[in-house]
Amino acid sequence: MEPIDKNLPADSLPETEAAEVQPDESVMVEPALSGDVPPTAISDEAASTEAASDESEKASSQDAASGTYRGINILKFWLMPFVCFASFGFPGPYGAFVSRLSLFAPIAFYILCGFLLSAKEKDDPDIYKRLMKRSARQFALIFVILVIMNGVLLGATGMFGEAASQIFRKRTLFNIIVLCTWPFPIGETIWFIQSLLYARIILFFMNKYGLMKHYKKVLAATALFAVLFGEFAGIIHFDFHGYTSIPGNAITRAIPYMLLGRLLYEKRDALLTRPSWNYCLAFLVGIFASIGEIMLLSRIGLLVYTGHMIGYGIMAFSACCLFLKMKDVEKNFFVIHGRSYSWRIYVLSQPVGNLLLLWAGFVAPTFYVLMQVFGGIIVYPVCLAICFGIGYVRHLVREEKRMP
């Protein structure tokens, strides 16, 4: 998702909790509906609890964790087009700027991760360990799928031997394991879930050994590190064994922005009572700040990396605050399905987009040209249609099980 300029270091997303992100901070699995209990078998208090659970349905676990911040699921849903724009581009004379600005989306997901983690940690002491294990399962699943898909692709194109010979080079392994960049044609967005896994491991140990009280210092240090060795790498003339910048990973993305989400949760009473227009204005400021920073650094010849700009963080933080204010929005399609659809689109976007490009290249040259220009706009509705299909099949299966 992050590598817009192919000459720049690759920030290989998919974003869950695509980000990743689930109700309790991830979008991985939809909670099961609670079973029906006869009113005569439960007390009045239990009956009211059961009714509340049925009423909130799939949004219930998130509402319990975050105090009915139902706007979170709406935000997750509307972030996913930007994930596709960042990965596959946007048409028009200003399409390059739209693609770059779309990189605020994974940052917003990380902020939501931190916010929801903080919302639930008091009621769930094992939340750090549980989410760490969940991210490990998510990453392992996506990793295996992408390895198989890339193996088939490289084998079909006769490049498997060359790729296999390069994969075990020290530099390639360093890129994959440490920098979270992906060297294969399909799956560059895996960097998001990989960075999330690393961040959750780090936060688990910080919480275990009582270091979370120093989280603001860690936030400041990692944020400074991300800026200096990211967009300002050209200014400080960073060059380490051929690396001219450090792409998005746990230290430069996940940790600082998840901790920013924690800070947002702590200050929620003050921040979420401000008028919505404040955050709309701040979002616009973030857009112009990002464009101005890119243009200025380019003009003075010091632009070496566009995977992160300070303005992206402003945009993401503003969007999160704006949607977190939607506490009591009525239950609708986006509230119910936002987290599950965002996870599915995150997983599907890269394979679907690349498979469409391959198919078009061999079968439909005209469509291949369209994919080169309108890739993000094409990939998103295709993924959304697949999600609708998956959702419909799941609905039929549930209805089948409910039938006597």
Side-chain angles (χ1 to χ4, degrees):
M1 171 167 170
E2 224 175 293
I4 301 301
D5 189 338
K6 298 300 182 182
N7 295 321
L8 299 177
D11 264 13
S12 310
L13 179 34
E15 355 121 107
T16 328
E17 324 217 338
E20 170 225 50
V21 241
Q22 194 131 330
D24 46 12
E25 200 227 351
S26 179
V27 297
M28 175 76 175
V29 180
E30 299 181 47
L33 297 179
S34 55
D36 295 328
V37 181
T40 56
I42 53 177
S43 64
D44 292 342
E45 180 179 358
S48 62
T49 303
E50 184 73 17
S53 176
D54 290 337
E55 176 63 23
S56 60
E57 293 184 359
K58 298 173 185 178
S60 61
S61 59
Q62 176 175 342
D63 293 345
S66 55
T68 65
Y69 293 102
R70 291 185 173 182
I72 290 177
N73 281 353
I74 302 175
L75 176 58
K76 289 176 182 178
F77 186 92
W78 289 111
L79 285 175
M80 296 318 295
F82 297 101
V83 171
C84 296
F85 298 157
S87 296
F88 296 99
F90 193 85
Y94 302 105
F97 278 116
V98 174
S99 297
R100 287 173 169 82
L101 293 173
S102 296
L103 292 173
F104 86 93
I107 294 175
F109 273 115
Y110 283 134
I111 294 175
L112 293 178
C113 288
F115 183 92
L116 291 171
L117 176 62
S118 301
K120 195 165 184 179
E121 64 179 349
K122 292 182 180 179
D123 298 325
D124 187 355
D126 295 327
I127 186 68
Y128 288 93
K129 183 177 182 179
R130 184 164 57 83
L131 291 180
M132 179 177 63
K133 291 182 177 180
R134 176 182 297 159
S135 292
R137 293 193 299 268
Q138 292 175 336
F139 173 73
L141 173 65
I142 296 176
F143 183 83
V144 170
I145 292 174
L146 292 179
V147 167
I148 294 173
M149 293 186 67
N150 281 283
V152 172
L153 172 63
L154 294 172
T157 56
M159 299 176 61
F160 186 85
E162 180 182 352
S165 65
Q166 294 181 1
I167 188 63
F168 294 107
R169 293 181 179 179
K170 292 181 180 179
R171 191 178 188 89
T172 303
L173 291 174
F174 179 80
N175 290 341
I176 296 174
I177 298 172
V178 179
L179 297 183
C180 300
T181 57
W182 189 248
F184 303 114
I186 302 176
E188 66 178 16
T189 50
I190 195 176
W191 77 268
F192 175 85
I193 194 67
Q194 184 179 358
S195 300
L196 181 63
L197 170 61
Y198 289 174
R200 283 177 167 170
I201 293 173
I202 294 172
L203 294 179
F204 167 78
F205 284 105
M206 285 182 62
N207 180 68
K208 181 177 181 179
Y209 294 106
L211 301 176
M212 199 60 75
K213 59 185 176 182
H214 303 297
Y215 85 92
K216 292 180 181 178
K217 297 177 182 178
V218 178
L219 166 59
T222 52
L224 180 62
F225 183 89
V227 171
L228 284 179
F229 299 101
E231 56 262 49
F232 290 171
I235 296 177
I236 65 174
H237 302 291
F238 175 72
D239 189 352
F240 180 76
H241 293 282
Y243 294 99
T244 57
S245 64
I246 298 180
N249 54 48
I251 302 299
T252 59
R253 290 297 182 282
I255 289 292
Y257 284 109
M258 288 180 70
L259 293 180
L260 182 61
R262 185 180 184 87
L263 180 63
L264 172 57
Y265 180 77
E266 287 188 359
K267 305 296 182 181
R268 63 191 183 281
D269 292 336
L271 292 171
L272 302 185
T273 54
R274 296 179 179 273
S276 297
W277 68 264
N278 286 3
Y279 297 113
C280 294
L281 179 61
F283 190 85
L284 292 176
V285 170
I287 291 176
F288 289 110
S290 301
I291 295 174
E293 188 177 356
I294 292 172
M295 294 180 67
L296 177 61
L297 291 173
S298 178
R299 183 176 294 273
I300 62 179
L302 296 176
L303 180 66
V304 298
Y305 183 68
T306 58
H308 180 270
M309 294 288 157
I310 296 174
Y312 299 170
I314 298 174
M315 294 168 64
F317 186 81
S318 302
C320 289
C321 289
L322 182 63
F323 280 83
L324 283 169
K325 286 173 59 65
M326 301 179 185
K327 279 189 174 184
D328 302 318
V329 63
E330 293 185 3
K331 185 176 62 177
N332 54 41
F333 173 85
F334 304 109
V335 171
I336 296 174
H337 299 290
R339 67 181 178 276
S340 59
Y341 273 47
S342 62
W343 166 251
R344 293 168 187 167
I345 294 174
Y346 161 75
V347 174
L348 290 169
S349 61
Q350 279 289 308
V352 167
N354 283 280
L355 289 175
L356 284 174
L357 281 170
L358 287 172
W359 172 80
F362 287 106
V363 179
T366 302
F367 184 73
Y368 181 81
V369 175
L370 290 176
M371 276 294 297
Q372 292 289 335
V373 179
F374 299 96
I377 294 179
I378 295 174
V379 169
Y380 176 68
V382 171
C383 292
L384 191 60
I386 296 174
C387 289
F388 278 123
I390 295 173
Y392 182 69
V393 171
R394 288 169 60 90
H395 171 73
L396 293 179
V397 171
R398 285 196 296 265
E399 290 300 316
E400 182 77 18
K401 290 182 179 180
R402 288 177 180 176
M403 292 179 64

